[in-house]
Amino acid sequence: MTHYSIVKGQTQALQALLHRRQGDDFILTWEAPRASAMERGVPTKEAGRLLVLDASFNPPTRAHYGLLEEAWKQNRGEFDAGLLLFSTQNADKALSGASAVQRVQMMELMARHWPFELPVHVGVTTKARFVDKVAAIRTWWPGSVTFILGMDTVTRLFDAKYYDVPVPQALAPFFEHASLLCADRPGHADPAFWQQDAVRAYSAQMRRFQLPDTVAGLSSTLARQHIRENKPINTLLLPDIEALVIDQQLYLEK
């Protein structure tokens, strides 16, 4: 039985869970098997360190997978668990493409594919702003939280247009409990960004890591384009996610 057939068979249960808890700030939709981690004496959630990949996952691509893998490998031993996080609200645009249920299913398929010892869970939040996402996650995981962010998202995080108060003041609650791993795309460095006063105020809680070219060139936009144009997508999507996309005929319309 494939991972996709397992996940597909649980569709109604997932729909019921999301409906039943639609008012909750955070919902853990899939928890990775923890037996091996507990046998190794991994710290409890209260003392543990969580690595979060927050994205729209529309669809999850090998870029998402590579982003999580590179962040973990380049900081090996620093984290006790991972979380794939999807927000049903977006500060910039409405939900389109795959439904929330379909995205969560694809995220679970990505987490089930993960072969390394770091347990990777799947969760949903109704919060759009990062400061609110941290608070939501901490209802489940009260330990430390580190977000993996691409530089486009990091730039938006420090954009004053999203806040009614000065940026350092607005982000203080976020950085009180969270830190950032910032993914640099080759050839896209922006030295001026790192010299901003607001960024320098939290530089101690922001670390950078380099994405390989093989990951940096992939995106959900490219995957959707290939699907619409009937081009191969096996180099863009993991096999079980490709099976879901084909079976549910996602992204065929512009």
Side-chain angles (χ1 to χ4, degrees):
M1 181 175 290
T2 66
H3 286 160
Y4 174 50
S5 62
I6 295 172
V7 169
K8 184 178 180 180
Q10 298 171 347
T11 299
Q12 288 187 340
L14 176 59
Q15 290 172 331
L17 172 66
L18 295 180
H19 178 73
R20 185 173 68 252
R21 297 186 55 190
Q22 59 184 320
D24 292 3
D25 291 346
F26 176 80
I27 308 169
L28 186 69
T29 61
W30 189 73
E31 188 167 13
R34 301 179 63 92
S36 60
M38 296 304 291
E39 289 170 1
R40 296 199 315 275
V42 169
T44 63
K45 288 186 290 188
E46 287 73 13
R49 301 156 298 180
L50 183 68
L51 182 63
V52 179
L53 178 58
D54 172 52
S56 59
F57 297 107
N58 190 32
T61 68
R62 292 182 184 272
H64 292 104
Y65 187 90
L67 188 59
L68 180 63
E69 182 177 3
E70 285 298 318
W72 178 69
K73 284 184 174 180
Q74 293 185 34
N75 299 275
R76 203 160 189 157
E78 294 191 22
F79 302 103
D80 303 304
L83 174 69
L84 304 180
L85 181 69
F86 166 61
S87 173
T88 57
Q89 305 294 323
N90 189 297
D92 290 311
K93 55 187 176 182
L95 189 67
S96 63
S99 68
V101 168
Q102 290 167 327
R103 296 190 200 200
V104 171
Q105 288 179 317
M106 290 188 284
M107 291 160 65
E108 181 179 332
L109 291 172
M110 176 176 158
R112 286 177 176 271
H113 185 82
W114 183 256
F116 305 107
E117 63 265 26
L118 184 80
V120 175
H121 313 295
V122 178
V124 173
T125 180
T126 56
K127 301 301 181 181
R129 300 192 312 160
F130 278 95
V131 63
D132 299 322
K133 290 177 183 178
V134 170
I137 292 171
R138 283 175 56 79
T139 63
W140 164 68
W141 185 281
S144 68
V145 178
T146 298
F147 281 84
I148 309 166
L149 297 183
M151 282 309 303
D152 288 347
T153 306
V154 175
T155 301
R156 289 197 300 272
L157 179 65
F158 282 87
D159 192 328
K161 76 177 184 180
Y162 295 111
Y163 310 106
D164 298 324
V165 297
V167 173
Q169 180 182 344
L171 292 179
F174 173 83
F175 282 109
E176 181 180 356
H177 299 293
S179 59
L180 296 180
L181 280 178
C182 309
D184 283 332
R185 290 179 180 268
H188 290 78
D190 182 7
F193 170 81
W194 297 99
Q195 298 305 313
Q196 297 179 47
D197 290 341
V199 176
R200 295 178 65 169
Y202 294 110
S203 59
Q205 290 146 284
M206 301 170 63
R207 287 181 292 164
R208 302 166 70 180
F209 71 100
Q210 190 74 25
L211 284 178
D213 291 333
T214 52
V215 172
L218 306 179
S219 69
S220 295
T221 300
L222 182 62
R224 295 194 300 270
Q225 179 182 337
H226 275 224
I227 293 165
R228 287 195 301 268
E229 297 175 358
N230 199 29
K231 294 180 179 179
I233 53 175
N234 60 300
T235 59
L236 299 171
L237 305 182
L238 297 171
D240 281 302
I241 295 176
E242 180 180 3
L244 183 151
V245 167
I246 293 173
D247 182 49
Q248 302 191 24
Q249 299 183 335
L250 291 178
Y251 310 118
L252 296 178
E253 297 181 1
K254 293 185 178 180

